[in-house]
Amino acid sequence: MKKWLMIGFISMLTLSTLAACSGGNQNGSSGGKSKDTITVKHAMGTETKVPANPKRVVVLTNEGTEALLELGIKPVGAVKSWTGDPWYSHIKDEMKGVKEVGLEGEPNIEAIAELKPDLIIGNKMRQEKIYDKLSQIAPTVFSETLRGEWKDNFSLYAKAVNKEAKGKEVLQDFDKRVSDLSEKLGDKKKKRVSVIRFMAGQSRIYYEDSFPGIILKQLGFDFPDKQKKLFEKQKDKFAFMTESKESIPEMDGDVLFYFTYQPAESKKDALTWQHDWTSDPLWKKLNAVKSGNAHEVDDAIWTTAGGVKAANLFLNDIETYFLKS
């Protein structure tokens, strides 16, 4: 009898030792990581434990969707592209089978819950009010803003899906491409670039803190002097918004790019607004227009998508209009 008691005691001791060596509590954290989870600090001022290898990710921003795709992750659900049906043309092939879960500004919480996600990626600027509800569905990580600096958000998303190394590689590749293109552009970078967006009832002049502005600055371009003076008067360096055609002269540049935001569900016609402005005598007097250097480009690529894939397609446009035209 004593022999069997001794064998049982040794077996229990061995199992205890093995458990201690394997880490015991899998929910514990060591350096922000455990066996099954990683810890991510994000815009809601908290640290959230998320799966180390998420399988069912729902993403609630357009630029976040592009980030996941670039990282090799196909989400199970995503918010609708602003001007897509439901996805932008440059990502629609990769998004086959992905469930649409509303818009950035109004995600469908029930649709998200039905997908049984193990990770939700969103944005404080867009979805702060529903963060608690989302967190009850699955671990939720938020980026801070959507003001054009897509690289910061991309790095956070890469960390949230435990692909930081891949994320750094993507950003390094982009920066190298910018550097190489900047070198090829040479003296062409001396041309002042103007970026204009038409919306239903409003026109915008984009500046250095916008998605196109940040990339143009990284390439080495600058903005027209008139626009520099215009933005001296306002703290926000994102965009100047106007409803008056009297602002048209301030839209001029050596090269001008313009695009129109026309979402499918909008009852207002932005294309009519754009035509009204580009048909105006003031527009036709712009030096960029008279010299044939006013180019209409894709709104999704130049601002609406706002992610890594759009950023690379943006570089394609710059190469086309400055080096191949």
Side-chain angles (χ1 to χ4, degrees):
M1 184 69 178
K2 289 182 180 179
K3 179 180 178 182
W4 289 110
L5 284 172
M6 180 61 69
I7 292 172
F9 176 75
I10 293 172
S11 298
M12 289 176 63
L13 183 62
T14 302
L15 288 171
S16 297
T17 303
L18 288 171
C21 291
S22 65
N25 181 11
Q26 293 182 349
N27 292 323
S29 177
S30 177
K33 294 186 178 181
S34 71
K35 183 177 180 179
D36 298 312
T37 66
I38 60 172
T39 302
V40 181
K41 186 175 182 180
H42 57 97
M44 293 306 292
T46 186
E47 293 185 350
T48 299
K49 286 186 178 181
V50 304
N53 186 26
K55 301 295 186 183
R56 301 183 61 80
V57 184
V58 169
V59 59
L60 305 182
T61 66
N62 282 212
E63 47 102 49
T65 299
E66 293 200 0
L68 292 184
L69 294 175
E70 196 72 10
L71 291 166
I73 294 176
K74 186 174 185 176
V76 294
V79 288
K80 180 180 181 293
S81 296
W82 287 112
T83 55
D85 188 25
W87 317 117
Y88 296 125
S89 59
H90 66 278
I91 63 169
K92 65 180 182 180
D93 289 342
E94 295 178 86
M95 293 293 282
K96 289 178 181 178
V98 177
K99 175 74 174 179
E100 177 199 327
V101 293
L103 293 169
E104 278 191 14
E106 195 175 358
N108 185 327
I109 295 176
E110 290 182 1
I112 295 170
E114 287 175 2
L115 290 172
K116 296 181 171 27
D118 54 8
L119 173 64
I120 299 171
I121 292 176
N123 179 271
K124 183 178 180 180
M125 181 177 172
R126 289 279 193 261
Q127 299 119 13
E128 182 175 11
K129 291 181 180 179
I130 60 170
Y131 174 76
D132 289 340
K133 290 181 179 179
L134 293 172
S135 296
Q136 291 173 11
I137 298 171
T140 301
V141 172
F142 272 8
S143 53
E144 184 71 40
T145 68
L146 288 167
R147 298 289 282 175
E149 185 43 88
W150 61 272
K151 290 183 181 179
D152 291 342
N153 290 356
F154 181 86
S155 295
L156 175 65
Y157 304 149
K159 183 173 184 178
V161 296
N162 203 16
K163 288 184 177 288
E164 283 187 275
K166 174 65 175 176
K168 289 178 181 178
E169 180 183 324
V170 169
L171 293 181
Q172 287 170 357
D173 288 346
F174 178 81
D175 288 341
K176 184 179 187 306
R177 189 180 173 199
V178 169
S179 178
D180 291 344
L181 179 54
S182 179
E183 186 175 349
K184 291 178 183 177
L185 287 165
D187 289 342
K188 294 183 185 293
K189 290 179 293 185
K190 293 179 180 179
K191 294 182 178 181
R192 301 297 177 92
V193 180
S194 180
V195 181
I196 309 301
R197 188 189 201 192
F198 296 111
M199 306 171 73
Q202 186 185 90
S203 298
R204 293 183 176 184
I205 301 173
Y206 280 109
Y207 202 53
E208 58 186 20
D209 286 346
S210 65
F211 178 76
I214 288 171
I215 301 176
L216 287 169
K217 291 290 284 185
Q218 187 180 355
L219 283 165
F221 285 105
D222 206 349
F223 300 92
D225 289 338
K226 281 186 178 181
Q227 293 178 15
K228 289 183 177 182
K229 291 179 181 178
L230 180 67
F231 281 90
E232 283 177 0
K233 301 174 184 178
Q234 66 176 55
K235 292 182 180 179
D236 187 348
K237 307 303 180 186
F238 179 76
F240 175 78
M241 306 171 190
T242 180
E243 299 174 10
S244 172
K245 291 180 183 176
E246 292 180 0
S247 299
I248 289 178
E250 292 170 310
M251 296 179 172
D252 207 358
D254 296 322
V255 181
L256 187 156
F257 294 98
Y258 67 98
F259 41 91
T260 306
Y261 174 64
Q262 180 69 50
E265 66 276 4
S266 177
K267 295 179 181 179
K268 295 182 179 179
D269 191 356
L271 293 173
T272 299
W273 179 273
Q274 177 225 305
H275 178 73
D276 187 38
W277 279 58
T278 56
S279 298
D280 192 270
L282 287 173
W283 177 269
K284 293 180 179 180
K285 288 180 181 178
L286 295 178
N287 291 324
V289 174
K290 291 190 295 183
S291 65
N293 287 307
H295 309 292
E296 184 172 10
V297 290
D298 189 336
D299 178 88
I301 301 306
W302 277 67
T303 194
T304 311
V308 59
K309 289 183 176 291
N312 275 290
L313 291 170
F314 183 103
L315 296 182
N316 288 355
D317 280 351
I318 294 298
E319 189 170 8
T320 295
Y321 289 109
F322 282 94
L323 299 179
K324 296 179 181 179
S325 297

